[in-house]
Amino acid sequence: MKVIEDLISKKVDAIAVAPNDAAALTPVLKKAKEAGIKVLDWDTPADPSLVELSVHQIDDKVYAEHIIDSLVGLMGDNGEYAVVTGGLSANNLNTWIDLGQKYAKSKYPGLKLVTDRVPTDEKQQVAYQKTLDLIKAYPNLKGIVGYSTPAPLGAAQAVQEKKPQGKIAVVGTALPTDSGPFLEDGSLNVAILWDPAKLGYLTVYLAKQLLEGKKIENGADIPNVGKIELKSDGKTVIMGPPTDFKKDNYKKFNF
């Protein structure tokens, strides 16, 4: 919050935020908006009443369902699975988990979530330890979904150590370069994400468009990004579909 307060004092033209706790930022973002600053969020939503644009890397529902479909493609549509997440207050992670679990219950009734989502404080080491605990507590566990970039790596590290690869499927939202060693030995089956540099570029590009008084159009072809989707609310921008990073393609990406 202090960083945003300082930016307000400097009278910047635009501020883009990716809050871990959206409610905590509401007062200072309100102050920014009242000061005439263009407020955007990106990666994870802030208070929708305060932002002029909400820049999303993917369509949340499409992403959430794709993650579950990927898990089922590996472990089958019957059996026990667990969810390991970053922080319990991260709106984007909670949205993907909630949508994914709703979809799983509807499309794959044979899947059994063994326990509530397990928080890991955005730390790989914590995810590793929590996954070891899950493997011990649930010997029939067939799948793990990791949300937040460190969580799938920690889960894969635990599977790498404790179970023969292939016995527990691990999928999640990790970066391809970080995932490499785990993809290579099969402890992580697939990392599902997007190009974060493109998302940052798109956010800055759209902020500049707002400052220049230009209208954001659905289907606009953005340089270095491609065609974007503007939802019917006129605020929510979708960059594009997610990318699957696997053993056979992760080396093509440098992030």
Side-chain angles (χ1 to χ4, degrees), residues 112-206:
K112 180 185 177 184
L113 184 66
V114 295
T115 187
D116 290 338
R117 64 199 70 178
V118 179
T120 62
D121 197 29
E122 299 283 349
K123 294 176 182 175
Q124 181 176 335
Q125 184 63 27
V126 178
Y128 160 73
Q129 188 57 57
K130 293 288 183 73
T131 303
L132 289 178
D133 295 342
L134 286 168
I135 292 171
K136 184 177 180 180
Y138 303 100
N140 296 320
L141 196 65
K142 292 176 66 177
I144 298 171
V145 186
Y147 296 88
S148 83
T149 49
L153 307 180
Q157 185 181 351
V159 169
Q160 185 183 62
E161 178 180 315
K162 289 296 183 182
K163 295 283 278 188
Q165 284 82 345
K167 293 290 183 68
I168 298 179
V170 180
V171 305
T173 62
L175 293 162
T177 49
D178 294 339
S179 301
F182 304 108
L183 291 170
E184 285 289 348
D185 73 4
S187 52
L188 177 66
N189 298 93
V190 59
I192 306 167
L193 210 64
W194 52 86
D195 186 336
K198 281 186 179 181
L199 182 64
Y201 178 91
L202 175 61
T203 303
V204 173
Y205 182 94
L206 293 176

Side-chain angles (χ1 to χ4, degrees), residues 38 40 52-53 206-214 216:
K38 301 288 186 185
L40 302 84
E52 297 201 34
L53 287 176
L206 293 176
K208 185 173 183 290
Q209 294 289 100
L210 287 177
L211 292 171
E212 293 175 353
K214 296 178 181 177
I216 311 302

Side-chain angles (χ1 to χ4, degrees), residues 8 15 29 39 75 79 88 109 157 173 177 191 195 219 235 252:
I8 294 170
I15 294 174
L29 292 182
V39 178
M75 66 167 274
L88 293 178
Q157 185 181 351
T173 62
T177 49
D195 186 336
K235 282 188 177 185
K252 298 176 183 178

Side-chain angles (χ1 to χ4, degrees), residues 4 7 14-20 22 25 28-29 38-47 51 53-55 203:
I4 299 175
L7 292 172
I15 294 174
V17 296
N20 282 328
L25 286 189
V28 71
L29 292 182
K38 301 288 186 185
V39 178
L40 302 84
D41 66 44
W42 67 298
D43 186 62
T44 187
D47 185 332
V51 300
L53 287 176
S54 182
V55 187
T203 303

